[in-house]
Each structure stands twice: as C-alpha cells, then as structure tokens.
Amino acid sequence: MTNSLYLPEQLNQILKSIDAILPEMLLSIAFLLIILIDLILHHDYKNKQKLVQNVVQISSVVFLFCLAFIAVILCVIVQQFYNSADAFLFDRMLILDLKAILFKFLILLSTVFIFGHIYVTKKKFIVEFYPILVSMVIGLCLMTMSINLLMIYLSVEIVSISSYILTTIDKTRKSTESGLKYILFGASASAVMLYGMSLLYGMTGSLDITSVEFSRSISHIDSVASTVAIILTISGFLFKISASPFHVWTPDVYESAPTSVVAFFSVAPKIAGFLVAIRFYSAVPNNLQTITAVLAMASITFGNFSALWQNNAKRLLAYSTIAHSGFILIGLVTMSQLGLTSIVFYLIAMLFTNLAAFLLVDYAEQLTINETHKQSSTEHQTSKIEHLSGLGRLNPFYGIMMLIVMISLAGIPPTAGFFAKLSIFSALWETYQNTNQPILLWLFIFGLLNTAIALFFYLKIPFYLFFKEPLENQIFELNSKQYFLAIILVLPILILFFKADWLMDLISYL
C-alpha cells in the first residue's frame, strides 16, 4: 500500500524524482521543440514548390537536432550509471536502478544507430516521423523504470501507439494493411493485459509489484486464479517482445514498414519488454516455469520453421526475431542469476546483430546499377533474397559482413550469438540439474534441435551472396559512410565473443 505523506513531503519527493528522470525530461523537451521547429520553419503552406523545399530543409534540421539531443542524453545516462543510487520515484511509480539505467542506455544507443541508418541510406521521412520516434523512446525509457501496474500499462501504450504510426509512416497500401493488423492485435493484447492487471489489483489491493503486500496477497489466493491473472497480464509483454502467441503481426509489419523503423522495432521494444518481464516475474510468487517453457518452445519452433519457407529477407528476419525471443524466454524459465545475466548479454548481442542485419539488407535494397538498368531500378527496391544474388562477389567486404551477421544469428562461433546461446543453454542445464523438471529437459532438446534447423535459413542469404550469379552489368558499391556504420555494428559481434567476460562482469554488478 502507498504510504501517506504530508503535502510538503510529497512535493519534496516529487522534486527529487524530477532530478532522477532528467533523460526523460530532455526527451520530452526535444519532442516539443521538434514540433515547434516544424511550426516556425514550415510557415509558407500556399506555395507548393517552396513547401517541398521547406520539408527537406526542416527534416534535415530536425534530424541533426534529434541526434545532438540524444547524444547529450546518453552522456547524462552514463553519468547516472556511475553516480546514482537505487531510488523509488514518484511514490513508487518508478524505480531508478542500475538495470534501468543500463537498459535505457541500450535503447538510446539503438536510437543513435537508427539515426545513422537513416543518414547513410539517405531515407527521407516526413517531419512528423521524428517526434513520433522520440515519443516511442520516452515510452521505452519509462517501461524500463516502471514498477507500478498502471505505469507499466501507460508506458506500454505510449510505445504501442507510436509503433502503429511509425509502421504506416510511408502511407503505402501494404504498410497501411500491416498497420491495421498491428493495431488490432495490439488492442487485443492491451485489453487482455489490462484485464489481468485489474484482477491482480482486486486480489492484492496494490499496484506496486515490488511491495510486500503484492506478493504476500498473491500467495494467499488460490493458485489457479492468481496464475490466470498473471498469464493475462504477461500477454502484453509477450506482444512487445514478439513472442508466441502474440507474434502474428510481426512478419507483415517487418516486411512493409521502412527498414530503419523495422530495425528499431527488432531491438528497442524487446529490451524494454524483457526488463519489465524480469521485474514482474521476480515479484510474483507463482511457479511460472512450465508456462514460460511452453511459450519459449512455441516461439522458437514457430519462428524457425516459418523462416524456412521465406524468400523475403525482412520476413525471414521477422521470424528470426520471434525465435530469438523464445531463446531469451529460456532465461526467464530459469530465473537464476546466470539465466538473468544471460538475458542481458543476449539482448546486447542481438542489438548489434539485428541492427547490422537490417542495415545490410537496406543497402541491398538501395542497389546502384549501371545506366542501362536505371529505368527498371524500381523493381529492385525490394528485400527478396533472390535480389541478393552475387552481391558478395561484386562487393566481397559486404558479403563478409553479412556472413558474420548471419552466423551470429545462427549461433555459430566466433560471434556474440554463439556465446549468447551458450550462456542461455548453460543456465537452463544448470536449472534442470537442480530441479530435475522434465519440461526443462524437453526445452533443452527443443532448443538445440531448433538451433540446428536455423542453419538452413540463416545460411541461405550467404549462399545467394556468394554462390549465385549477379545480374548482368550490375554494380554494387557502398560509400565510406555506409562502410563505417556497418563496421561499427559488426565489430562488437566479434569482440563480444573473444572478450565476453568483460560484458558478463559488468552485467553481474546489476
């Protein structure tokens, strides 16, 4: 229950809380300033030709403004990591601890890479894209700190609504259809989650998942009733991390949305969603091992087997993210120190791997071909795997980088993806030896078999790159900026294999 405080004490607590959420406040200021910049510069709406020029100029100004602002916020978060102590904020609505700070850093780091992605691919978005993206980042940062059921719901909805708009930002027919499907599934998941939260509140009389009353009240209630309420609540988390059975929206959204937006969807919501899930699992006394194991097996199996038949690179990566969400859920099955550490390592490995994968796919979508094929270049602006044919021969460095990314997704050494899966399976085997639960052994076997199956579709892309013939007179060149961003993303995939202990030691302090 919430402690009653006198008004001066409440105001003092609010003032202290404001200092702790400085990154979110700066993001909110950025959100308002972007809209203000648009209103000031975008004043001549009668002259259509000038309007087009203004849009390009405004987008450039807003892009640089967002990048500079996020860089400043990253510095603030780094300072918080070294100087801040764990503290409850706004009467236990939020918590600022090392886990929240690290996960916020990862979210903002992925945002910086997305801006780099947009810059090197020269993708032009309407001005409204940037405040919507910033609002999504605000929601994600709030998710990492939320420990109150109401706050969790509000932050998830901020992220969801922003995601719906970003999906349809290009206003194409396909993106509109996938956006509608996204909204329908998102609304259903939110309704189910809110119903579960209302049941938990009715059972416990508390919205604070870290309070003693919350866990004690659940333990005194019939286990079947409380487990049903908990399952309904975690449905919202499963939707954000694209885990089965709330994954249906993922392939269509990933295929139709802009590649830079999809890259962000594949990383940032999962980072925030898994931290919320970790906090929630730690708070409830119920044994969710069997339920979570079934969800993990379903996500891994469905993601991998569905990816086998894909001929579109973005849809393939969409099913890949579903499968990887299942692998990360294994850490929640164990709920051991090694399991939770492995989740964080896996998320960081996937941050670089997924961003690199979508960036390299986007490069292939921006094919530069010779003068004789320029008139038909529009039909090459797709992400079909067959359009990657021979690109590894035309540009060996590009092919090598794509190969590294694919073997990391498959979990093959020497990449971070291998160590991530190794640590997850090590935590699972350790938990099985301690508990002797048959479901854990089945999950271990299913996971290993699916890892082997995944090789078939992950190595399909390198096969097309190096063993298929390129189109006649085709040219595929990248500029120095494109190479630089790709290298920045691919290098950590190798470094985190050879020096994984550096990151594991850091995570162990959380």
Side-chain angles (χ1 to χ4, degrees), residues 189-487:
S190 296
V192 173
M193 178 179 67
L194 191 59
Y195 183 57
M197 288 179 174
S198 66
L199 290 176
L200 287 177
Y201 178 67
M203 294 173 181
T204 63
S206 174
L207 293 171
D208 181 8
I209 63 174
T210 62
S211 67
V212 177
E213 291 86 354
F214 184 82
S215 56
R216 183 191 300 155
S217 299
I218 292 177
S219 62
H220 291 162
I221 294 172
D222 179 67
S223 61
V224 175
S226 60
T227 302
V228 169
I230 290 168
I231 293 172
L232 293 175
T233 303
I234 64 175
S235 63
F237 313 153
L238 297 175
F239 173 77
K240 294 317 300 176
I241 64 176
S242 304
S244 184
F246 294 93
H247 63 273
V248 183
W249 59 272
T250 311
D252 290 333
V253 169
Y254 278 43
E255 182 183 9
S256 61
T259 308
S260 53
V261 172
V262 172
F264 190 68
F265 286 174
S266 72
V267 172
K270 290 175 176 54
I271 291 173
F274 271 106
L275 182 54
V276 173
I278 289 171
R279 294 193 194 279
F280 187 75
Y281 270 64
S282 302
V284 296
N286 301 53
N287 185 355
L288 303 175
Q289 202 170 67
T290 302
I291 296 167
T292 311
V294 172
L295 293 172
M297 282 192 285
S299 300
I300 294 169
T301 305
F302 181 84
N304 283 331
F305 276 91
S306 298
L308 285 173
W309 319 110
Q310 301 305 314
N311 57 11
N312 184 291
K314 287 167 71 173
R315 286 186 73 90
L316 186 149
L317 291 173
Y319 286 111
S320 167
T321 59
I322 296 169
H324 282 295
S325 293
F327 282 114
I328 302 174
L329 280 173
I330 294 175
L332 285 178
V333 173
T334 66
M335 283 305 291
S336 63
Q337 181 61 41
L338 178 58
L340 298 179
T341 303
S342 300
I343 289 176
V344 181
F345 185 93
Y346 206 121
L347 288 170
I348 295 173
M350 284 302 100
L351 184 150
F352 292 103
T353 308
N354 278 357
L355 292 181
F358 283 105
L359 177 67
L360 294 173
V361 168
D362 207 2
Y363 286 168
E365 290 180 350
Q366 310 294 328
L367 281 174
T368 305
I369 53 179
N370 65 11
E371 197 70 30
T372 58
H373 289 84
K374 281 185 178 178
Q375 292 181 351
S376 61
S377 62
T378 53
E379 64 186 61
H380 292 276
Q381 301 298 319
T382 69
S383 52
K384 286 188 176 181
I385 296 175
E386 64 185 29
H387 290 160
L388 301 173
S389 298
L391 296 188
R393 295 184 183 186
L394 297 175
N395 192 329
F397 192 65
Y398 170 87
I400 291 170
M401 288 192 292
M402 183 68 89
L403 176 63
I404 293 171
V405 170
M406 289 298 115
I407 65 174
S408 180
L409 288 171
I412 302 173
T415 61
F418 170 78
F419 190 86
K421 285 187 178 178
L422 177 65
S423 58
I424 281 284
F425 282 119
S426 298
L428 179 61
W429 183 252
E430 180 184 88
T431 305
Y432 169 70
Q433 289 183 316
N434 293 334
T435 61
N436 290 319
Q437 292 288 331
I439 188 68
L440 300 184
L441 181 59
W442 280 109
L443 179 58
F444 187 84
I445 295 170
F446 260 81
L448 291 179
L449 289 175
N450 274 276
T451 300
I453 292 169
L455 293 175
F456 289 97
F457 64 84
Y458 282 127
L459 297 182
K460 182 192 295 184
I461 290 179
F463 174 78
Y464 272 83
L465 287 173
F466 292 105
F467 294 100
K468 293 285 187 177
E469 293 292 333
L471 295 176
E472 187 179 354
N473 298 325
Q474 190 177 21
I475 299 172
F476 182 50
E477 297 176 349
L478 302 177
N479 59 43
S480 57
K481 296 174 183 177
Q482 291 173 327
Y483 277 123
F484 177 76
L485 182 59
I487 292 170

Side-chain angles (χ1 to χ4, degrees), residues 83-129:
N83 299 329
S84 297
D86 294 358
F88 294 105
L89 309 176
F90 298 105
D91 200 15
R92 299 181 72 92
M93 294 285 285
L94 304 171
I95 185 172
L96 184 67
D97 56 4
L98 291 180
K99 287 193 285 292
I101 294 171
L102 175 62
F103 277 62
K104 284 197 289 184
F105 177 83
L106 296 176
I107 291 166
L108 286 164
L109 182 63
S110 65
T111 309
V112 171
F113 283 131
I114 293 306
F115 276 107
H117 184 153
I118 295 169
Y119 175 71
V120 299
T121 55
K122 299 180 181 178
K123 172 70 176 177
K124 299 298 182 184
F125 287 107
I126 59 174
V127 180
E128 288 78 9
F129 168 83

